[in-house]
Amino acid sequence: MQKTIIHADLGVTAVKSEQFPVNDRREIAFVGKSNVGKSSMINTMLGRKSLVRTSQTPGKTRTINFFEVEQALYFVDLPGYGYAKVAKSESQKWAKMVESYLKNRPQLLTLVLLLDIRHEPTSQDKMLYEWCKHYNLPVILVATKSDKLKRSQLDKHLAIIRKSLAEIAKPDKILPFSSLNRDGREELWEILDNLHNKN
């Protein structure tokens, strides 16, 4: 059965922890390298076309954006990483902001780590996955842009990602996802709903 979202809206835009929402709603954070399809994915999950602004310019998101979902939880859009044209000082500032959020936010329920299904995980993808494992942070692995591959190629590409991450830890399930045809949307919602109901 298709998940329908009635209420979804931008709640808070923050650049420092003092600006984060002050309530006990649980938060599901989304992170991935620049241009991995994070904004499109959140829009798809929320059944909206342009709630989260998408951009052809990598590295566009420079804030932590909290989207209210059904007035019950937040989807948190974290800045993308790994875009070479961003100044090193700016990149370090983003990393510090994101790390502070992930380490110190008690409302954080899980992190959704987006990986491009067409490519082996980058060193930064692996670093973030290793960081999550080190701090026992629950993480859901989602392989975006699955529509860019033939269905017969999906398992092969998922195996490449799994093997790459296995250097760090036995990887969690990797869910193929397409914002274009909405493949993976209902399965991901089922995972998130189960987590939210347990907590």
Side-chain angles (χ1 to χ4, degrees):
M1 186 170 148
Q2 185 169 313
K3 175 93 171 180
T4 302
I5 302 299
I6 305 298
H7 175 88
D9 203 4
L10 177 60
V12 171
T13 294
V15 293
K16 52 188 177 181
S17 58
E18 292 81 10
Q19 298 169 327
F20 294 168
V22 184
N23 57 52
D24 59 359
R25 288 182 192 169
R26 301 312 299 271
E27 297 169 2
I28 295 160
F30 295 79
V31 71
K33 68 182 181 183
S34 297
N35 251 15
V36 75
K38 184 160 47 70
S39 299
S40 297
M41 179 183 177
I42 296 174
N43 281 329
T44 299
M45 290 296 292
L46 298 179
R48 303 295 188 271
K49 286 188 177 178
S50 55
L51 177 60
V52 187
R53 292 181 190 170
T54 58
S55 172
Q56 295 303 311
T57 308
K60 186 78 172 171
T61 305
R62 301 187 182 208
T63 55
I64 296 180
N65 299 319
F66 294 78
F67 294 90
E68 292 184 5
V69 182
E70 303 294 36
Q71 299 176 325
L73 56 88
Y74 288 104
F75 272 14
V76 183
D77 185 12
L78 297 174
Y81 54 81
Y83 186 50
K85 289 188 181 179
V86 172
K88 192 172 182 182
S89 60
E90 190 75 11
S91 178
Q92 287 171 341
K93 189 166 73 176
W94 293 359
K96 190 174 179 182
M97 178 170 63
V98 170
E99 183 174 343
S100 174
Y101 169 80
L102 294 177
K103 278 177 78 171
N104 304 313
R105 191 70 175 158
Q107 293 92 329
L108 180 60
L109 182 63
T110 189
L111 181 70
V112 180
L113 174 54
L114 281 66
L115 305 162
D116 189 324
I117 197 167
R118 300 167 297 174
H119 308 295
E120 188 173 333
T122 66
S123 59
Q124 284 164 310
D125 292 330
K126 291 180 186 178
M127 196 182 303
L128 185 54
Y129 186 61
E130 185 172 25
W131 190 92
C132 291
K133 289 299 181 184
H134 178 75
Y135 286 100
N136 295 314
L137 177 66
V139 60
I140 299 168
L141 299 170
V142 177
T144 61
K145 307 189 180 186
S146 63
D147 54 277
K148 304 287 187 185
L149 299 176
K150 295 177 182 174
R151 288 203 173 271
S152 59
Q153 297 176 305
L154 291 179
D155 285 345
K156 175 189 168 187
H157 283 258
L158 289 173
I160 291 169
I161 294 172
R162 196 173 287 111
K163 183 179 178 183
S164 178
L165 295 179
E167 299 163 13
I168 297 156
K170 184 178 179 183
D172 307 75
K173 177 179 179 179
I174 305 169
L175 177 66
F177 191 95
S178 166
S179 295
L180 186 67
N181 57 34
R182 298 161 69 94
D183 278 355
R185 180 184 186 269
E186 304 312 316
E187 190 174 350
L188 182 53
W189 260 122
E190 186 177 346
I191 294 167
L192 296 179
D193 281 339
N194 286 339
L195 271 174
H196 191 237
N197 292 335
K198 282 179 188 174
N199 293 270

